[in-house]
Amino acid sequence: MLDINLIRKEPEVVRQAIINRGNDPTPVDEILALDTQRREILARSERLRATRNAVSKEIGRMRDEAEREAKKAEMRRVGDEIAMLEAELAKIEAQLGELTAALPNLADPRVPVGPDETHNVLLRVVEGALPKPDFPPKPHWEIGEQLGIIDFERGVKLSGSRFYVLNGWGARLQRGLIAWMLDLRLRQGYEERYLPFMVKAQTLFAAGQLPKFRDNLYHDAEEDFWMVPTAEVPLTNLHGNEILDADDLPRLYTAYTPCFRREKMSAGRDVRGIKRGHQFDKVEMYAFTKPEESDHYLEKMREDAEATLKELGLTYRVKLLCTGDLGFASRITYDLEVWSPGVGEWLEVSSVSNVGDFQARRANIKFRREKGAKPEFVHTLNGSGLGLPRTMIAVLENYQQADGSVVVPEVLRPYVGTDVIRQAHA
RNA sequence: GGAAAGGUGGCCGAGUGGUUUAAGGCGGCGGUCUUGAAAACCGCUGUGGCGCUUAGCGUCACCGUGAGUUCGAAUCUCACCCUUUCCGCCA
């Protein structure tokens, strides 16, 4: 949610920012018009309320019955007028809310302007420590099926396309990755949380997922339960409607959750393998900071995510997203992409964003600089650390051997329980 | 799922239609006193919106949420949500 005061004061800036994202800026003008109307009507109805409050108090003290009835009749008319104005106000506020809720966040000035992902800026490539394979690398779906650790057929039998079953060492590899990543986050200073995987609609709104991305979410038909598309959603709301002490900031969190996405927007893309499913696992990083510190923690989160890939010895690259590819709530985003030789692709495994006060406004998360000071909105940041299926793909494809086995990365061995995977079961 | 009780400021807690402008207490902040501290005493104490002559002032809203009754609602009515206890079911 953008600050209405910013829209009032700098409509040109907001308009241009929306255009830079490739969106239509006309809602800005509608918002300004509605905002003016709102304030006019509000002033009128509040003057009437003030009158009614005062007169009602007098009525309570009046002894003369006739005079009393006269005043009551008069206030009845005032009441009717207030009701009329407020009905109008409610309509305007609903429209205003809808329009402002649909506006994306403003991009940071450092974000390059561009129409789509082709204009993202490659910042650098970091070579991993692993030797290049001296044989033609296979894609993970072949590795997985040959080892018997990924069962696509039974996944489809259970749930349809884009589902799979992990067997034996495959399941343990994923579990090991999750546990190792969480421990790495703890060493990096994040606190772990175990969160609800189903949340209320309001929780999704505060994180910026609703109303805009309704089509990409799963929800219960009968109750107000929505499956989380990312841990970012419950983490954002962890401190919803709270005023934090400045001493409590920053708050750094990490959480593992499954993520559920309908992938309606990506129908037909990446149908092969485990790259894009309706259900996937992710370890997330999240931060609540003072406004002036959020950029510092953006860099920390990016470094922390990068450390994951470095410790796995993988080759990756860092991109700065352009305005056209930026997420709805984000001001600035780094993407980390890991090289995977089997599919011959750079796979997006992490997205690290500074959201500024965009989610804090929606979720009403504030802090007080000192006792008695006026509460201010915090800044929030989120980053994947990392997405599991794609990290699994990268591990399987980068650590595959000529004989079809997969060596377990050294850091994962204590977590997985073996040095090398030769078959599904020991 | 059934029954009962309940939801009031940072916390406890009073409040069954109009001097409630939400009592009182605790906590917190400031002050008096003190060598210092404690005690005692005095003062202050939430969030948001709108307006203005903007260190402030005025006004409106907020007592779980939403509707309703009324000139006037924390208080009355209805629906819903949540909490606690008991019963049932269950990992």
Side-chain angles (χ1 to χ4, degrees), chain A residues 1 94-104 200-217 219 226 229 233 262 265 328-329 358 362:
Chain A
M1 192 79 83
Q95 267 177 286
L96 204 50
E98 215 172 288
L99 288 172
T100 44
L103 290 184
K200 311 190 266 194
Q202 165 57 29
T203 304
L204 283 152
F205 175 86
Q209 300 282 336
L210 280 177
K212 217 178 160 159
F213 303 106
R214 193 177 197 284
D215 284 353
N216 213 26
L217 300 166
H219 65 106
W226 299 68
V233 170
R262 292 177 70 192
M265 289 87 154
F328 176 72
F358 191 82
R362 288 178 167 235

Side-chain angles (χ1 to χ4, degrees), chain A residues 64-84:
Chain A
D64 184 307
E65 199 54 35
E67 196 185 342
R68 199 182 165 102
E69 285 310 315
K71 282 289 184 195
K72 276 195 195 181
E74 193 186 328
M75 284 310 103
R76 243 192 303 270
R77 283 194 298 275
V78 170
D80 290 345
E81 201 176 335
I82 291 171
M84 237 176 57

Side-chain angles (χ1 to χ4, degrees), chain A residues 366-383:
Chain A
K366 298 186 170 181
F367 79 105
R368 234 189 280 273
R369 286 188 189 274
E370 52 204 60
K371 283 211 184 336
K374 195 177 148 68
E376 297 170 54
F377 288 111
V378 299
H379 278 196
T380 62
L381 303 99
N382 62 80

Side-chain angles (χ1 to χ4, degrees), chain A residues 173 395 399 406-414 416-421:
Chain A
L173 178 62
V395 168
Y399 281 85
V406 172
V407 168
V408 175
E410 213 171 314
V411 290
L412 294 181
R413 286 176 198 170
V416 178
T418 185
D419 294 359
V420 56
I421 299 173

Side-chain angles (χ1 to χ4, degrees), chain A residues 241-348:
Chain A
N241 293 315
E242 289 183 25
I243 300 174
L244 303 167
D245 286 337
D247 298 345
D248 279 344
L249 297 176
R251 300 218 64 114
L252 305 178
Y253 294 105
T254 188
Y256 153 76
T257 69
C259 304
F260 303 95
R261 299 184 186 179
R262 292 177 70 192
E263 299 291 356
K264 282 209 113 171
M265 289 87 154
S266 311
R269 284 180 65 189
D270 308 317
V271 283
R272 193 113 199 241
I274 64 173
K275 180 175 167 190
R276 189 185 297 273
H278 290 305
Q279 167 190 321
F280 66 95
D281 289 42
K282 182 156 59 68
V283 171
E284 183 78 358
M285 300 178 277
Y286 201 90
F288 300 84
T289 75
K290 293 181 196 168
E292 65 273 23
E293 292 179 345
S294 63
D295 275 323
H296 167 75
Y297 285 97
L298 175 72
E299 302 308 319
K300 171 180 166 52
M301 266 192 183
R302 178 190 44 71
E303 281 163 23
D304 291 343
E306 283 189 52
T308 322
L309 296 167
K310 279 184 187 147
E311 292 204 22
L312 290 171
L314 300 171
T315 294
Y316 66 92
R317 62 185 189 182
V318 185
K319 280 184 167 175
L320 177 61
L321 298 196
C322 75
T323 50
D325 203 26
L326 207 55
F328 176 72
S330 179
R331 275 168 46 159
I332 180 167
T333 298
Y334 293 114
D335 267 8
L336 301 189
E337 297 179 339
V338 67
W339 175 251
S340 212
V343 290
E345 272 185 80
W346 294 94
L347 300 172
E348 185 194 324

Side-chain angles (χ1 to χ4, degrees), chain A residues 3-175:
Chain A
D3 184 358
I4 184 70
N5 286 306
L6 177 70
I7 302 176
R8 270 181 214 154
K9 279 186 215 142
E10 314 258 18
E12 259 328 303
V13 173
V14 175
R15 251 183 234 120
Q16 189 55 50
I18 292 168
I19 291 167
N20 288 347
R21 276 176 174 265
N23 294 332
D24 175 17
T26 52
V28 173
D29 300 295
E30 295 171 51
I31 286 167
L32 287 171
L34 286 168
D35 178 55
T36 306
Q37 272 187 60
R38 172 180 173 266
R39 284 184 286 168
E40 276 168 15
I41 294 171
L42 191 62
R44 274 163 65 198
S45 90
E46 286 191 353
R47 270 196 300 274
L48 291 175
R49 272 181 178 275
T51 306
R52 185 175 69 177
N53 286 347
V55 174
S56 288
K57 221 169 268 180
E58 281 174 37
I59 291 173
R61 288 191 293 261
M62 280 179 185
R63 290 289 162 260
D64 184 307
E65 199 54 35
E67 196 185 342
R68 199 182 165 102
E69 285 310 315
K71 282 289 184 195
K72 276 195 195 181
E74 193 186 328
M75 284 310 103
R76 243 192 303 270
R77 283 194 298 275
V78 170
D80 290 345
E81 201 176 335
I82 291 171
M84 237 176 57
L85 289 171
E86 284 189 347
E88 210 175 326
L89 199 59
K91 222 188 306 172
I92 289 169
E93 284 180 346
Q95 267 177 286
L96 204 50
E98 215 172 288
L99 288 172
T100 44
L103 290 184
N105 201 356
L106 268 45
D108 186 284
R110 289 168 294 171
V111 172
V113 176
D116 53 42
E117 68 275 5
T118 59
H119 284 65
N120 293 342
V121 174
L122 177 63
L123 296 181
R124 64 182 178 281
V125 176
V126 179
E127 291 293 334
L130 285 177
K132 293 268 182 300
D134 51 4
F135 56 91
K138 287 181 276 194
H140 65 282
W141 52 84
E142 282 179 28
I143 302 167
E145 279 186 321
Q146 278 163 22
L147 291 173
I149 58 174
I150 308 178
D151 185 343
F152 292 101
E153 280 176 33
R154 287 199 173 86
V156 171
K157 178 170 77 178
L158 294 175
S159 305
S161 72
R162 292 189 190 274
F163 286 93
Y164 51 88
V165 173
L166 296 179
N167 293 339
W169 290 114
R172 293 188 64 172
L173 178 62
Q174 172 157 292
R175 178 155 57 89

